[in-house]
Amino acid sequence: MGVLRIPEPFDFELTTERFRAFGPDLANLWADGALHRVVRARELRIEAARGGVRVEPLDAETRPVARKLVGAEFDLGTFYASARRDSVLRGLTKALAGFRPPLGPDPFETLVGSITAQQVSMHAAFAIRNRLIRRFGRRVGEAYAFPTAKRLRRATEDDLLALGFSRRKAEYVLGLAHEPVDLAALDGLPDDEIKARLVSVRGLGEWTADWFLARHLARPRAWPAGDLALRKAVKAFYPEAGDVRAFGERFEPFQNLAAHYLLTGLRLARP
């Protein structure tokens, strides 16, 4: 056990709110006031601590996973300074002070999650995702390891249909499991090249690619303009906004953090 230091500002409850907002997430399970995740057959437990989070076990293997889950990669200080020039963001950064958007530690899991969430509510997506995890994942302690691509290659379309996937989404997930693209290697590429490689894969469109940049790679300019919830949030906070994709330029170079604060702010806070 050790303490992972997180730069201020940091609010553990707000940061982990997403893991409770849409029902339980078996791969990132909130239980007993802590976040549980499986890392290579070991259960990782993350809880609040002074100056950061207490992580058990904390070592070279679990540290990067814990950092992703608590959004440690984001530069909130510079973002907050920039937000003072925008009345909406100024209010949101005060109401949500210390909120660090959590990130998906695994690229394959992130993309499968996005496929699952296409054109359905988040509550429905979490329910289907949990059935997939329970059927093909492995339980270690409180949480389940998200099924690997190798494990899902043994699944059939009928298996996924039984879990609540549409036939097309089942095809996309199984196609991704067999896809030869090295997802981990995308980390070193520029945003545009990552998006080009992802959208070349059947079932992965611009919406999915934008969220991959935002919620896995923490790219600062990621702006999922095609997301319905983000469009609603932009229109709610900025009634004068026209084209949502073009409107993202207003937040340069903090589009990713702005998107998360707008989405979370619409759901939780009053600016």
Side-chain angles (χ1 to χ4, degrees):
M1 180 186 295
V3 174
L4 176 65
R5 300 294 174 185
I6 308 297
E8 292 292 340
F10 174 59
D11 185 303
F12 183 67
E13 290 295 318
L14 277 174
T15 294
T16 57
E17 181 270 342
R18 177 178 170 80
F19 301 118
R20 303 183 292 278
F22 307 108
D25 176 353
L26 294 182
N28 303 287
L29 186 66
W30 181 264
D32 302 322
L35 188 63
H36 300 255
R37 183 177 172 90
V38 178
V39 180
R40 291 188 180 273
R42 293 187 296 164
E43 183 184 31
L44 177 66
R45 188 177 193 275
I46 305 172
E47 62 182 13
R50 179 174 296 181
V53 289
R54 185 171 292 105
V55 182
E56 181 181 3
L58 180 62
D59 53 36
E61 189 173 60
T62 62
R63 182 181 298 274
V65 175
R67 282 180 55 80
K68 286 275 189 187
L69 291 171
V70 297
E73 298 175 23
F74 289 108
D75 179 5
L76 286 193
T78 307
F79 171 58
Y80 282 14
S82 174
R84 296 190 193 109
R85 301 192 294 268
D86 183 295
S87 61
V88 170
L89 288 185
R90 184 168 63 246
L92 288 174
T93 53
K94 289 180 180 178
L96 301 173
F99 166 58
R100 290 179 167 275
L103 299 168
D106 180 77
F108 178 72
E109 177 183 345
T110 300
L111 291 174
V112 172
S114 289
I115 292 171
T116 307
Q118 290 172 3
Q119 299 179 328
V120 298
S121 73
M122 290 301 295
H123 287 89
F126 269 62
I128 295 169
R129 184 176 184 273
N130 280 338
R131 289 195 287 270
L132 178 74
I133 293 169
R134 199 182 296 275
R135 172 67 175 82
F136 292 101
R138 293 180 179 176
R139 186 171 185 175
V140 179
E142 296 286 343
Y144 284 74
F146 192 86
T148 62
K150 181 179 179 180
R151 194 165 177 83
L152 282 180
R153 287 180 201 130
R154 306 178 207 158
T156 66
E157 285 186 21
D158 286 342
D159 289 333
L160 299 195
L161 290 173
L163 301 177
F165 285 85
S166 67
R167 185 166 297 280
R168 180 162 293 182
K169 287 185 181 181
E171 292 173 0
Y172 293 163
V173 169
L174 296 181
L176 182 63
H178 288 86
E179 177 61 44
V181 171
D182 184 351
L183 297 176
L186 297 178
D187 190 14
L189 301 177
D191 292 4
D192 288 347
E193 190 169 345
I194 292 171
K195 289 182 67 170
R197 294 199 183 190
L198 289 177
V199 300
S200 70
V201 178
R202 185 168 182 263
L204 305 185
E206 186 173 34
W207 178 85
T208 301
D210 281 335
W211 276 124
F212 184 85
L213 291 172
R215 286 191 170 145
H216 174 60
L217 296 178
R219 294 297 173 90
R221 292 178 170 85
W223 179 248
D227 186 82
L228 180 59
L230 180 58
R231 287 177 175 270
K232 288 181 177 179
V234 169
K235 296 297 185 182
F237 288 112
Y238 300 94
E240 75 281 8
D243 178 73
V244 172
R245 185 165 295 281
F247 196 74
E249 296 177 8
R250 178 188 184 101
F251 310 114
E252 173 70 24
F254 300 106
Q255 285 92 330
N256 190 353
L257 282 167
H260 279 98
Y261 270 73
L262 290 170
L263 285 165
T264 306
L266 187 63
R267 191 171 69 246
L268 297 181
R270 293 291 181 266

